């Protein structure tokens, strides 16, 4: 035993003899040995204590050596210097995928393309963390495990920490890529961190933006989403720097050192939400599965022992429910084995509640099998506690879009998911936004029976103010008091721009071929010109009129796009409407021109109900996004000319009334 202990000690000494080592381990995900670089502090060989770990993810075309863009002269020395003075281990992860490392400066790591999915990098991350924890002295709780990264690696830091909130306590991202694809091969979903911020509840998040970064507009959109979510511990740093690079590494790693000292990251999660692009997943002891054949996002919402909400989306945000036959949910082992529980199931599609009795398994689990339309589940029984009241979704989509300048009654509905009546519920609506005026903001619900819904929208009325341009976010706060209980929830709405223009011209493609002049950027030195694009879109008789039962895309003519050279061109529109007669059945995703971000242009395929009455007026918001490489050749950083263009996108919002035609014959 003494000899064995000596050998182990010597191997530990070897690990601390230099600032970093390049190592390999065997991966079942990749069916090969994988590399990583590990930075060990000088104290590693002098003590027997365990250390926290930061996993660092490189950007596009780089590898675990972090040497592609600077020959190892910037990032690596900064990590060495930090680790030399702090009790922390840093592991540089290798995102190499041989198939994707061709062209474009070297390659695309992490298998995050829409046609990918052969390698689940999340599963590989689990392999790597298990290897590191088994090979080195590490602290293995979530508080002492962090992720960080640049660009595509910044995206991976946000995505993996969102996918595994039980594994990672803090995450940082330097100029992260805004969106890539995740999920099983053949049914991958576009994943944008800004759409799934609530996965990071009870996780510390830091976003770092370089002022001269070419995709700064995307960073600002991500920052705004996190900053607006009070349940996430979020901080932001902007560095005055002229390139797409990992700035303020030491300060950001200090953020993780603070997280390692934060005991709240150890606290048991009482209430949480989670979204996954996988049709089968486990989270915090819950097991969820669906039979969806196509892309789908599954969300568990406000989960407590007393119940939860569950939703499916074909895409985020605002996608319709997934096309699937069932949802299967097995709860965590939170309940008394063998005890009887009452389950109240409110079906969002049917607007109706059903009640069933169920006995908890020998593990203390409950099992449900539901349709994919969306549900609110209340659980009552020994030790279940209670999710006393639930605010039902204000719209079938994710965001309620409202006009400005007129009184609006909010469609507020309150559900009692418990097995007991609740009496004398007092509701109050307020807002800190100066653009929100509360016209009517108080109501009383005398009694709400189990499984019952109170529609109180007639008692609440607001008026909104907006400016020109894009939709603007506003927040309302709803407070409910009953007995000694006080309950609060935020309601975010999007306010339509004031005096929206009518489009110059609209073309409806319901199955025909059409040719449009469209703008094509010239490259990262700016410029561009119109080209002709021929498309065949929609499904119908091709007469350019959306008739009952048909599907169509909407094209809009722009007088001027955001680029100076983009004049009198056409673009396909994203369409927003709350009409029950018109359904968005397709989210058309096309990579934006000349971009190196994987950002997608999102436009709509719509279906008109076959039952729509002739002459029905349907107001539509048509969102036409234009893009540009903004380039100024005389800008410098010190004496260095900057030849990097900024990627800019702008949403042009139009209001257009569609009138349904006679039924098809």
């Amino acid at each position: 035993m003494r000899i064995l202990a000596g050998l182990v000690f010597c191997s530990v000494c070897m690990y601390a003899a230099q600032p970093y080592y390049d190592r390999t381990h065997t991966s079942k995900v990749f069916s090969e040995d994988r590399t990583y670089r590990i930075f060990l502090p000088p104290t590693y060989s002098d003590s027997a204590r365990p250390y926290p770990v930061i996993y660092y993810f490189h950007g596009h075309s780089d590898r675990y050596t972090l040497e592609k863009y600077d020959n190892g002269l910037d990032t690596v020395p900064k990590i060495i210097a930090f680790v030399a003075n702090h009790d922390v281990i840093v592991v540089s992860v290798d995102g190499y995928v041989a198939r994707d490392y061709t062209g474009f400066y070297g390659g695309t790591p992490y298998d995050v393309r829409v046609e990918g999915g052969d390698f689940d990098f999340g599963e590989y991350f689990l392999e790597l963390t298990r290897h590191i924890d088994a090979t080195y002295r590490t602290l293995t709780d979530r508080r002492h495990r962090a992720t960080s990264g640049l660009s595509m690696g910044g995206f991976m830091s946000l995505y993996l920490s969102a996918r595994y909130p039980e594994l990672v306590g803090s995450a940082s991202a330097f100029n992260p890529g805004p969106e890539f694809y995740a999920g099983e091969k053949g049914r991958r979903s576009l994943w944008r961190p800004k759409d799934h911020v609530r996965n990071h509840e009870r996780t510390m998040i830091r976003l770092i933006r370089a002022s001269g970064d070419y995709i700064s507009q995307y960073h600002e959109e991500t920052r705004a989403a996190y900053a607006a979510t009070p349940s996430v511990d979020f901080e932001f740093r902007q560095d005055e720097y002229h390139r797409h690079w990992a700035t303020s590494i030491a300060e950001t790693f200090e953020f993780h050192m603070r997280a390692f000292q934060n005991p709240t990251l150890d606290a048991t999660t009482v209430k949480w939400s989670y979204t996954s692009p996988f049709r089968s997943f486990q989270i915090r002891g819950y097991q969820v599965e669906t039979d969806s054949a196509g892309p789908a996002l599954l969300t568990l919402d406000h989960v407590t022992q007393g119940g939860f909400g569950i939703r499916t989306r074909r895409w985020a945000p605002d996608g319709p429910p997934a096309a699937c036959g069932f949802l299967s949910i097995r709860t965590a082992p939170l309940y008394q084995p063998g005890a009887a529980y009452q389950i109240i199931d409110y079906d969002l599609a049917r607007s109706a509640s059903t009640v069933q009795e169920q006995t908890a398994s020998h593990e203390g689990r409950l099992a449900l099998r539901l349709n994919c339309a969306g549900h609110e589940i209340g659980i009552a029984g020994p030790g279940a506690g209670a999710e006393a009241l639930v605010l039902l979704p204000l719209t079938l989509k994710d965001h309620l879009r409202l006009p400005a300048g007129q009184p609006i009654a909010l469609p507020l509905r309150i559900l009692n998911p418990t097995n007991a009546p609740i009496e004398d519920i007092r509701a109050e609506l307020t807002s800190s936004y100066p653009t929100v005026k509360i016209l009517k903001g108080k109501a009383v619900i005398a009694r709400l029976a189990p499984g019952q819904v109170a529609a109180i929208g007639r008692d609440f009325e607001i008026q909104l103010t907006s400016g020109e341009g894009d939709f603007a976010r506003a927040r309302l706060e709803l407070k409910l008091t009953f007995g000694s209980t006080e309950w609060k929830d935020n309601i975010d709405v999007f306010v339509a721009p004031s005096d929206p223009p009518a489009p110059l011209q609209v073309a409806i493609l319901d199955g025909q071929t059409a040719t449009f002049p469209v703008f094509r950027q010239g490259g990262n030195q700016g410029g561009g010109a119109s080209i002709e694009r021929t498309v065949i879109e929609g499904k119908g008789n091709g007469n350019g009129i959306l008739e009952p039962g048909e599907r169509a895309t909407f094209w809009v003519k722009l007088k001027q796009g955001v680029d100076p050279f983009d004049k009198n061109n056409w673009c396909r529109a994203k369409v927003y409407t709350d009409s029950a007669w018109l359904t968005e059945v397709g989210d058309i995703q096309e990579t934006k021109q000349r971009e190196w971000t994987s950002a997608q242009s999102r436009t709509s395929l719509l279906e008109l109900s076959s039952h729509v009455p002739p002459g029905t007026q349907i107001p539509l918001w048509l969102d036409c996004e234009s893009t540009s490489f903004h380039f100024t050749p005389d800008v410098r950083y010190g004496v260095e000319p900057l030849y990097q263009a900024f990627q800019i996108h702008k949403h042009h919002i139009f209001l257009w009334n569609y009138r349904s035609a006679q039924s098809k014959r």
Side-chain angles (χ1 to χ4, degrees), residues 42 65 80-81 128 144 162 193 230 381 397 424 470 482 523 543 553 589 600:
T65 58
I80 290 173
L128 178 60
H144 294 96
K397 301 180 180 180
D424 192 26
D470 203 349
F482 45 100
N543 65 357
T553 59
Q589 300 173 4
Q600 302 292 303

Side-chain angles (χ1 to χ4, degrees), residues 457-478:
R458 65 184 181 278
D459 297 312
F460 293 92
E461 197 172 78
I462 63 172
Q463 186 167 317
L464 303 166
T465 299
S466 67
E468 294 182 342
D470 203 349
F471 288 93
R473 189 178 63 85
R475 173 165 290 173
L476 311 167
E477 297 92 34
L478 180 66

Side-chain angles (χ1 to χ4, degrees), residues 49 56 102 309 357 649:
R49 69 178 182 274
Y56 187 85
T102 57
E357 299 285 340
H649 50 279

Side-chain angles (χ1 to χ4, degrees), residues 158 171-174 204-208 233-237 247-248 251-253 255-256 258:
L158 294 177
S172 60
F174 300 92
M204 292 177 61
I205 301 295
R206 188 175 209 254
L207 176 65
I208 309 95
D233 186 339
F234 171 71
E235 62 182 63
F236 173 73
R237 161 76 183 232
T247 54
S248 60
E251 182 182 300
T252 299
F253 283 7
F255 156 80
H256 291 296
R258 294 198 307 273

